[in-house]
Amino acid sequence: MPDLQDLPASTTDHDGSAVVRVLSYNVRSMRDDVTALARVIRACRPDVVCVQEAPRFFRWRKAAARLARTSGLVYVSGGATASGPMVLASLRAHVERAEDILLPRTPGLHQRGFSTAVLRFGRARLGVVSCHLSIDDQERYSQGELLLERLSALGEPHAVVGGDFNDRPDGRTFGLLSDALQDGWATRPWGREHTTRLGDPLQRIDAVFATPGVHVLGCGVPMGLSGIREQDLRAATDHLPVLAAVRVPAAY
């Protein structure tokens, strides 16, 4: 793969704004090559990771701690307590608060939830939500509405959502979210668009969204980024990661 020009590095500027690198990644309960998974995450140099399908059964906390440690990050929220979504962060982030939310469950379908946090980078504050929406169209749309409500309830004008939405850009839930939020790839495309496993049918079902006041500097799958090997992407999990760089204004 040719080297891909990297996204802007994490910085804090003189005006108090901060460039924050946000990674969204479905890790399939860490059932694949965890060493390859950690290598991919480290190569992306994220400040925040929105994880989907984090381990949520036997010894899930130990598995979450292992992923954080081997990726050079710390655990913030989620896992079993959010039924899969999880938030990790670098030591650059100051955790102001975190909360796990379980969503109403439809009989016969999996329990879903949100992992949420408010992180501070110097004078810039960023709300974060990690989510994994339903495979059922009706339940997924209701969860999209609840996601927008939860973002509003965070009370932060600047926020990002990273998730596996089980919907494509032409779907009604994806459309609901992109009407209210910035779809990172559509706003400032970078890297590869499609997030399904290499060799699978091309789809974009994973994304990073941002509230209107956040400046998206670039967003996409880091295929070809220096330090990320195709064999690691294949071995790590059945999804590809989505990496975004965003500029967050200072909070006054």
Side-chain angles (χ1 to χ4, degrees):
M1 291 184 295
D3 281 352
L4 181 69
Q5 184 176 359
D6 200 357
L7 291 172
S10 305
T11 60
T12 301
D13 294 339
H14 66 277
D15 62 357
S17 65
V19 173
V20 178
R21 292 168 69 101
V22 180
L23 184 68
S24 184
Y25 209 176
N26 183 319
V27 302
R28 196 159 71 157
S29 299
M30 295 170 59
R31 288 182 289 151
D32 301 288
D33 187 334
V34 180
T35 302
L37 178 66
R39 280 197 297 265
V40 171
I41 294 174
R42 286 198 308 270
C44 291
R45 307 194 321 278
D47 299 296
V48 183
V49 183
C50 294
V51 176
Q52 299 86 48
E53 291 193 31
R56 54 193 177 94
F57 297 112
F58 183 64
R59 293 183 176 175
W60 71 270
R61 293 183 188 276
K62 183 176 181 180
R66 178 189 175 192
L67 180 61
R69 183 180 66 255
T70 57
S71 303
L73 302 165
V74 296
Y75 169 86
V76 175
S77 65
T81 48
S83 198
M86 183 169 70
V87 174
L88 305 177
S90 71
L91 292 176
R92 180 180 177 228
H94 173 82
V95 181
E96 294 205 339
R97 63 182 188 273
E99 184 179 9
D100 299 325
I101 309 294
L102 291 177
L103 302 180
R105 182 178 181 180
T106 301
L109 297 176
H110 290 300
Q111 176 73 64
R112 303 283 177 171
F114 301 147
S115 174
T116 77
V118 175
L119 307 176
R120 181 165 50 80
F121 300 88
R123 288 163 47 201
R125 265 204 324 270
L126 183 66
V128 178
V129 179
S130 178
C131 66
H132 187 183
L133 303 189
S134 177
I135 60 172
D136 178 81
D137 179 70
Q138 182 174 343
E139 185 182 50
R140 180 169 61 244
Y141 191 82
S142 296
Q143 291 170 352
E145 294 177 319
L146 291 172
L147 174 58
L148 294 177
E149 290 177 11
R150 177 52 48 180
L151 269 180
S152 178
L154 282 178
E156 298 295 331
H158 306 121
V160 293
V161 179
D164 175 351
F165 296 93
N166 274 316
D167 204 19
R168 295 177 302 218
D170 60 353
R172 66 177 189 140
T173 302
F174 207 109
L176 171 72
L177 298 176
S178 58
D179 283 346
L181 306 169
Q182 300 178 82
D183 170 7
W185 165 264
T187 302
R188 192 70 180 269
W190 168 91
R192 183 184 194 262
E193 177 182 6
H194 301 107
T195 65
T196 42
R197 178 170 48 189
L198 296 167
D200 286 353
L202 296 177
Q203 296 186 81
R204 182 161 74 93
I205 60 174
D206 307 84
V208 173
F209 287 93
T211 53
V214 173
H215 182 198
V216 178
L217 304 174
C219 178
V221 174
M223 287 284 295
L225 184 65
S226 179
I228 294 183
R229 302 184 302 173
E230 183 173 325
Q231 55 264 45
D232 280 345
L233 290 171
R234 291 181 181 277
T237 176
D238 63 344
H239 285 242
L240 296 176
V242 179
L243 178 62
V246 300
R247 184 179 299 279
V248 184
Y252 293 98

